[in-house]
Structures are given as structure tokens and as C-alpha cells.
Amino acid sequence: MRPSAAAGGGGGGRRKAAAAAAAASREWLVVPASGQARVEEAGKHAVMARTGLPARDLRVLDPLLSYPSTILGRERAIVVNLERVKAVITAAEVLLPNSKDPAFASFVCDLQARVLASSSDQAAEFTDMEGESSAVTSPFPALTSTTPNELEMTNKNSNVVGGMTHSNSMPTLTAAKDGNTKVLPFEFRALEVCLESACRSLEEETSTLEQEAYPALDELTSKISTLNLERVRQIKSRLVAISGRVQKVRDELEHLLDDEMDMAEMYLTEKLTRQEISETSSRVEVDDPSQLEVDRDEDYRSEADVSNGTFIGYKPHIEELEMLLEAYFVQIDGTLNKLSHLREYVDDTEDYINIMLDDKQNQLLQMGVMLSTATVVITAGVAVVGLFGMNIGISLYADPSNEEEKRASNMKFWETTLGTIAGCTVMYIVAMGWGKRSGLLQ
């Protein structure tokens, strides 16, 4: 019984390990420089080995965790987390966590179209410069049909981890100059698509909110009701949420524009170029052993500077990335200004509603003062009536014995009644005049 139980326990452990491994792996949509997207399944460690990213950077892409808008430049990759756009950009490909969201499908189509258009432009430029067509090769040679010798040579320059291949050589699509025209590197073209998608999404949400907010606010100013107040409350909640998201994207772009070293870190193609030059120079044979040692030390320092991203003694031309970021910074700043104007309109509407409510409250208070004054005056008349209603003997209550006494008695009654009413009216008018003179009433 014990061996079988142990065997069963071992089988359960293997099943748990397999389940853990399956849970760790996830689907990634890979868009290479050729533009032909494909779906691959890989675990966290495979992606880390492929992109050179630490585990904390991959957590930014986890859809179950909430992270603010972030653009991180690392040694071999750029991590983008902008709204619904989550991507890892390398010098040769873009890795996207696979999703069934329609917005994700639209983003992938835009990315493929931009990459393919850039590939066509690059091929046309190479044809004009070299006189022959430049075919776009796949940045994943280990995944294409090659001969065994070619595959062996390819694997020497590549890192294959868990069925995913990362080539250390430069991609086919690199920055090229033709007079004053310069083609952006692959990583910047992919980054531009990410920025454009995030900014466009926020712009569309802002436009939709504006179309709903302004009519609702105008209707509220014309008619204050519970339904209109509830609509404005929901609009204000959406406004606060969208403003926070736009502000986070703007702050991230502003942070990148203020830090030149962060922008220099994103030049992945240029860093690969310098690394290849450094590796090539290190293989040059010299006759003088002492000179060889000096060259090795210089190459080592150069490689260390590139790998650490410090760029000591070398400052890349960051104008391209700076202009790219500034363009979308202006766009997202315009979106934030629209939201600010809408917020001001909401605040002005709230102030106007408060003023209207205060005016209504003042009118009610004035009515209350007038009614209270009328009550006091009427109470004075009631007091007079109460005095005459007492069971006391006075000449006014004496029964008249003749017609003259009857007429005189009736005259006294009407004089008393009309006098009481006139006295109450005069008291009320005097009270109202004193209230207006003292500012209590308008």
C-alpha cells in the first residue's frame, strides 16, 4: 500500500507541477519587423530571457494588477503600459499579451499596417540606393525553414528559450538616411502606434463625454429635477475618472521628455549597433600583445557603458524620439485641456444651481416672515374679539329699548369691528415697511 501511495503522491506532484507550468505560461501575440503576426505560448522566464526584462517589469503587463501608465526603457526592450495598450517592444519585434478585446484587435491591425508600410518604404529606399530589391527577412531565423547547417550557425548567435527565439543580431529594418530623410527604427515605429492608440482612445472617450455632458448641464440649468441631478452626478464621476487617466499619461510623457537618459535608453537599434561594433573590434588580431590588452580594456569599457545604458562619452541624437513624444504630449495635453474646460463648465453650472437654490430659499424665508407677521397681526385682532366675547356687563351689551338705541348700538358694533380691522392692517403695513427698511425683506 505504501509504494502505491507514494507512486500516487508522485503522480499528484507531477500533475501539480505541470498545472503550475501551464498556469505560468500564457499566449503572446508576436508582431515582428516583417509585420506577420503570430501567436506563441511562453512562460514568464522565457519572456524574461527573450527580452532581458526583470520580473517586476513583466508585472506591469499583468491585466489582473492595476499599474499607472508607464513607459520603461530597458537594455534590450521597452515596456509600454498605456491604458489598454500593453506591449514589450524590442529592436526586432513586439510582444503583446493576447486578448479577445475588439480594441486589441484594432490596435494589432494598426500596428501591422504601420510596420508593413514602413517595410515597403524601407525596401523602396534600399532599391533606389543599391539598385536592387531588398527583401524583408524574418527576424526569427530559428522559426523559418533553414538547412541544418544554417540552423546550427543561427543558434550560435541566438538564445532559444522555451521555443521562443531572440536574435542578437540587428534586425533587417534599421534606421536609414536618404538625404535629409531618416526612417525611424522599428522600436520607435511600434512605440508611436502604442502612443497613438492610447491617445486616440482617450480622445474618443473625451469627445463622447462632451457630447453627453453639455446638453445635460444646460437642461439642468433650465429645470432642476432629481433625474437631471443624477445624470450630472454620473457625468461628473466619469469626468473625474477620465481626467485621472489622461493626467497619468501626460505625466509619464512629461517625465520622459525631462529625462534625456531615459530617452537615450530607448534607442535599442543603436545600442545593438554599438554592441556589434564593439564585438567586431574585440576580434581584431594585433601583433603587439600590450596593444591587445589596451584594446580589450577599451572594448570592455565600451560594452559596459552600452549594457548599463550610461552612454559615457557618447550622447545619441534623441531629437527623433523627443519630437515623437512631444507630438503626442501636445495631443494628450489638448485632451486634458478639453476635460479642464468641461470641469470648469460643470463647476460653473454647480455654482449657478447653488445660486438659484439660495434665491429660492431666500424667497421662502421672506414668505415665512410675511406669514409670521400676518399671524401676529391677526392674533392682535383675535385678542380684541376675545375681549368683547367675555361675559361682562357693559353698556354696549344692553338691550336697546327703542329704535334710537338700536341704531346707536349697531353703529358702535360696526365702529368697533372696522376699527379693529383697520388697526390690524395698519400694524401689518408698518411691520412690512420696517422689515424692508432694515433689509430683512426685499
Side-chain angles (χ1 to χ4, degrees):
M1 294 298 292
R2 289 183 180 178
S4 61
R14 285 192 296 270
R15 285 193 297 271
K16 290 181 180 180
S25 63
R26 59 185 301 183
E27 288 186 353
W28 294 83
L29 184 65
V30 181
V31 182
S34 61
Q36 301 297 327
R38 63 181 181 275
V39 178
E40 297 183 6
E41 186 173 354
K44 179 176 65 175
H45 298 287
V47 176
M48 291 168 58
R50 182 172 185 169
T51 59
L53 294 174
R56 66 176 182 273
D57 291 341
L58 289 180
R59 293 193 192 99
V60 177
L61 305 178
D62 193 344
L64 300 179
L65 301 178
S66 177
Y67 280 89
S69 297
T70 307
I71 301 177
L72 302 175
R74 295 296 183 251
E75 180 182 354
R76 290 162 47 191
I78 300 174
V79 181
V80 179
N81 178 27
L82 296 176
E83 291 299 310
R84 298 179 181 178
V85 179
K86 300 178 182 292
V88 178
I89 304 173
T90 64
E93 62 185 2
V94 181
L95 279 73
L96 306 169
N98 198 13
S99 175
K100 297 181 180 179
D101 190 2
F104 176 77
S106 176
F107 167 70
V108 173
C109 292
D110 293 342
L111 179 60
Q112 287 181 300
R114 186 69 58 86
V115 171
L116 289 175
S118 301
S119 301
S120 301
D121 296 340
Q122 183 71 31
E125 290 183 3
F126 286 164
T127 302
D128 295 338
M129 295 172 60
E130 301 179 5
E132 60 182 4
S133 176
S134 175
V136 179
T137 59
S138 175
F140 301 95
L143 298 178
T144 58
S145 58
T146 56
T147 60
N149 293 331
E150 292 175 347
L151 183 60
E152 182 179 359
M153 294 299 295
T154 301
N155 289 334
K156 291 181 180 180
N157 296 325
S158 305
N159 295 326
V160 182
V161 181
M164 302 180 68
T165 306
H166 173 73
S167 175
N168 290 328
S169 60
M170 280 185 59
T172 302
L173 298 176
T174 56
K177 290 185 178 180
D178 183 10
N180 295 327
T181 303
K182 185 172 182 181
V183 180
L184 289 177
F186 172 78
E187 62 269 17
F188 292 166
R189 296 197 298 269
L191 179 61
E192 182 179 5
V193 177
C194 296
L195 292 172
E196 181 181 356
S197 178
C199 294
R200 183 174 63 246
S201 175
L202 293 174
E203 180 69 23
E204 290 176 354
E205 292 187 23
T206 301
S207 300
T208 303
L209 183 61
E210 285 181 336
Q211 294 175 1
E212 297 178 4
Y214 287 113
L217 293 172
D218 293 338
E219 186 177 356
L220 179 63
T221 55
S222 61
K223 181 181 179 181
I224 302 176
S225 62
T226 305
L227 180 61
N228 292 336
L229 289 173
E230 179 65 21
R231 288 176 58 190
V232 172
R233 185 192 67 81
Q234 294 177 0
I235 288 173
K236 189 174 182 180
S237 300
R238 291 169 55 190
L239 174 62
V240 172
I242 296 176
S243 299
R245 291 158 53 195
V246 173
Q247 185 67 44
K248 290 178 182 179
V249 176
R250 183 187 180 278
D251 293 342
E252 182 62 23
L253 293 179
E254 185 178 10
H255 171 72
L256 288 176
L257 289 170
D258 292 339
D259 197 333
E260 295 184 356
M261 295 311 301
D262 285 348
M263 288 190 287
E265 190 76 18
M266 296 183 182
Y267 280 75
L268 306 178
T269 302
E270 195 157 351
K271 286 193 290 185
L272 286 176
T273 304
R274 287 178 56 82
Q275 185 176 2
E276 285 187 350
I277 294 174
S278 177
E279 291 176 356
T280 304
S281 61
S282 64
R283 300 191 191 98
V284 177
E285 296 181 358
V286 294
D287 296 334
D288 189 1
S290 61
Q291 183 66 25
L292 180 61
E293 293 296 332
V294 172
D295 292 341
R296 286 179 177 176
D297 293 339
E298 292 178 354
D299 294 340
Y300 175 76
R301 286 194 297 270
S302 177
E303 291 177 2
D305 294 340
V306 174
S307 62
N308 294 329
T310 57
F311 292 93
I312 299 176
Y314 169 73
K315 182 179 179 181
H317 300 286
I318 60 174
E319 288 80 7
E320 302 170 355
L321 181 58
E322 190 173 7
M323 292 177 62
L324 176 65
L325 295 177
E326 282 181 352
Y328 288 99
F329 176 80
V330 171
Q331 181 177 352
I332 201 68
D333 190 60
T335 304
L336 187 60
N337 288 334
K338 290 182 180 179
L339 294 172
S340 299
H341 292 325
L342 182 57
R343 181 188 293 273
E344 292 177 359
Y345 195 82
V346 171
D347 294 339
D348 293 341
T349 304
E350 288 182 349
D351 294 339
Y352 179 72
I353 296 301
N354 291 330
I355 292 173
M356 291 180 62
L357 293 177
D358 292 340
D359 182 65
K360 294 294 183 182
Q361 186 176 5
N362 291 334
Q363 293 179 5
L364 292 175
L365 291 175
Q366 291 180 10
M367 184 177 294
V369 171
M370 295 172 64
L371 292 176
S372 299
T373 306
T375 302
V376 172
V377 171
I378 292 174
T379 303
V382 171
V384 174
V385 174
L387 289 175
F388 282 98
M390 293 182 180
N391 190 14
I392 56 177
I394 58 177
S395 60
L396 186 62
Y397 296 159
D399 293 334
S401 58
N402 52 29
E403 294 295 331
E404 293 182 357
E405 290 181 356
K406 287 183 179 180
R407 287 196 295 270
S409 178
N410 291 335
M411 185 64 67
K412 290 181 180 179
F413 172 78
W414 288 113
E415 289 177 354
T416 304
T417 303
L418 295 176
T420 303
I421 295 174
C424 292
T425 303
V426 170
M427 290 175 58
Y428 183 77
I429 293 174
V430 171
M432 291 295 102
W434 177 80
K436 291 182 178 180
R437 185 175 181 180
S438 60
L440 296 177
L441 300 175
Q442 294 182 358

